[in-house]
Amino acid sequence: MSTAILEDKEILTKEILQLKEEKNALILAHNYQRAEIQDLADIIGDSLELSRAAAKTNNPIIVFCGVHFMAESASILSPDKIVLLPEITAGCPMADMITVEGPRRTDRKEYRDLLGIVFEFADAFTLRDLKSKYPAAPVVCYVNTSAAVKAESDICCTSSNALKVVESLKEDTVIMVPDRNLSAYVAKRTKKKIITWDGFCHVHQRVSAANINSLRAEHPEAVVIVHPECPLEIQDMADHIASTSGILRLAKEIDKKEFIIGTEEGLGHRLKKENPDKEFYFAYEHMVCPNMKRITLRSLRNALRDMQYVIKVPDDIRVKAKRALDRMLEV
Ligand code: 13P
Ligand code: SF4
């Protein structure tokens, strides 16, 4: 790194720490954030851990270093707090794949053929349309959805509690949106019938069997751990399937030196920091979520200095969405 960049980094870090102190702000960072952002955060975690932290903080300001739906969840759970998202364009393409009423943005029929054996695909164009087709089925929505979709759902789930959430419901048929891969993960482990949306995460969807096979050939002793947003075929090849923080826990607990990881490479920062004697190989080169990487030290500094960008969910949506999030937190 050049001296100018290093100086810049030092100055920005100092400013951030000063502003954070002055404003009594809490900095939350998702496990995929840039290393320098993680190093400055008060709490680093997966979606569930960060939702819990946002729900119980006393700080008047929460700076959410993650993507839009995460900041929205913080605003829903802590409506009296000011929630800032340092980059307003940091969204989640998977969350955008389902809307309550608007047009649907994906329709990958070939995938339906491939996975049709595991569960039934939703034949609908909006969430409301889908609900009208299965009026008795409760809707479980992944936290990777807009506040409006959460408001139309019965209960939320994250990658670490999806199965538990589905099993907590009394109905035998359950709608899961928007991630077909997380739905497949649950469908394989429950007796309930799962009706799924066919959304996906472009970062995890790209992991191929060839990626895993060639890494396994190079590192035959390595343990394969993948995120449930990976395709079912990849889940089936893995030794373990877990959320980002679940992967961190497993990497620490398992007494092995090498791991093949099927998730965004930002997790590598904590994996290496917390396990300096172990080696981690990501499923493919540059396994990066560009949205997660939008937040930089400069945008974090600007967020604290200029109080931007405020994420506030309108009350009519917030109250309904909070019911779904609270119900999940109870589970
Ligand atoms: P986690 O809840 O496992 O951190 O996942 C969030 C996410 O967006 C994964 O792509
Ligand atoms: Fe969304 Fe995938 Fe990025 Fe997670 S990694 S925020 S699911 S696009």
Side-chain angles (χ1 to χ4, degrees):
M1 217 183 279
S2 79
T3 328
I5 295 174
L6 272 175
E7 272 172 17
D8 209 29
K9 192 176 165 191
E10 264 174 40
I11 294 166
L12 287 169
T13 304
K14 217 166 130 196
E15 277 186 80
I16 290 165
L17 292 174
Q18 235 164 28
L19 286 161
K20 183 178 116 64
E21 184 81 14
E22 261 169 44
K23 304 201 174 186
N24 190 16
L26 177 78
I27 301 180
L28 300 180
H30 187 264
N31 286 323
Y32 295 159
Q33 287 290 295
R34 291 172 187 272
E36 60 271 27
I37 300 290
Q38 294 193 28
D39 290 343
L40 274 173
D42 296 296
I43 299 171
I44 318 164
D46 66 6
S47 306
L48 184 61
E49 291 166 337
L50 296 178
S51 294
R52 287 213 176 103
K56 69 168 198 221
T57 183
N58 288 323
N59 299 66
I61 298 168
I62 301 172
V63 188
F64 212 118
C65 299
V67 289
H68 193 270
F69 75 80
M70 295 181 174
E72 264 192 346
S73 296
S75 159
I76 293 165
L77 291 166
S78 281
D80 52 331
K81 307 283 154 64
I82 296 172
V83 178
L84 304 175
L85 177 66
E87 281 290 345
I88 196 63
T89 55
C92 167
M94 171 159 66
D96 291 340
M97 287 176 182
I98 186 163
T99 56
V100 173
E101 283 183 305
R104 166 189 206 184
R105 304 197 189 160
T106 177
D107 188 13
R108 309 241 318 188
K109 290 208 164 49
E110 77 278 16
Y111 199 83
R112 296 168 179 229
D113 297 338
L114 200 70
L115 288 181
I117 28 150
V118 184
F119 47 38
E120 194 167 314
F121 271 102
D123 193 14
F125 288 91
T126 66
L127 180 54
R128 284 216 177 125
D129 182 18
L130 175 59
K131 282 172 69 172
S132 70
K133 290 191 166 132
Y134 300 91
V139 178
V140 176
C141 79
Y142 193 21
V143 281
N144 298 40
T145 44
S146 66
V149 166
K150 289 185 177 80
E152 281 286 318
S153 302
D154 296 278
I155 185 165
C156 290
C157 75
T158 70
S159 55
S160 60
N161 63 15
L163 182 60
K164 226 175 175 177
V165 165
V166 168
E167 290 290 316
S168 76
L169 301 167
K170 62 179 189 317
E171 293 84 354
D172 292 331
T173 300
V174 173
I175 294 172
M176 283 190 79
V177 298
D179 185 11
R180 61 194 184 196
N181 296 323
L182 184 65
S183 302
Y185 169 79
V186 172
K188 277 201 85 166
R189 291 162 179 81
T190 181
K191 288 201 166 65
K192 294 183 194 287
K193 176 173 171 183
I194 305 292
I195 313 291
T196 188
W197 201 254
D198 63 358
F200 59 92
C201 162
H202 66 104
V203 182
H204 292 86
Q205 187 63 41
R206 265 192 63 196
V207 179
S208 68
N211 292 147
I212 303 294
N213 284 334
S214 73
L215 281 169
R216 262 198 173 131
E218 266 177 70
H219 310 283
E221 292 297 311
V223 180
V224 180
I225 318 179
V226 306
H227 196 276
E229 287 176 14
C230 288
L232 183 61
E233 183 193 12
I234 304 302
Q235 297 179 24
D236 287 345
M237 293 173 79
D239 299 304
H240 302 275
I241 306 162
S243 75
T244 54
S245 289
I247 296 175
L248 284 161
R249 269 189 296 278
L250 287 165
K252 209 175 275 182
E253 280 165 24
I254 298 172
D255 190 18
K256 287 276 175 141
K257 286 270 178 266
E258 292 183 303
F259 294 83
I260 295 165
I261 305 291
T263 201
E264 211 267 359
E265 64 183 40
L267 192 67
H269 183 57
R270 278 186 76 185
L271 282 168
K272 257 334 268 178
K273 209 169 165 176
E274 295 170 17
N275 308 279
D277 57 331
K278 299 188 178 183
E279 291 302 327
F280 301 96
Y281 312 103
F282 282 82
Y284 61 86
E285 218 176 301
H286 202 61
M287 188 164 176
V288 169
C289 172
N291 281 281
M292 280 284 182
K293 297 298 188 275
R294 282 185 204 266
I295 296 172
T296 59
L297 284 178
R298 193 170 297 280
S299 58
L300 176 53
R301 188 275 314 270
N302 294 352
L304 280 159
R305 186 191 61 193
D306 305 333
M307 296 296 282
Q308 67 189 23
Y309 294 88
V310 177
I311 304 297
K312 185 109 189 110
V313 177
D315 262 351
D316 53 334
I317 293 178
R318 187 188 67 76
V319 172
K320 289 191 217 152
K322 188 167 186 301
R323 275 203 293 261
L325 277 167
D326 281 344
R327 215 175 145 190
M328 168 188 86
L329 293 174
E330 280 159 27
V331 172

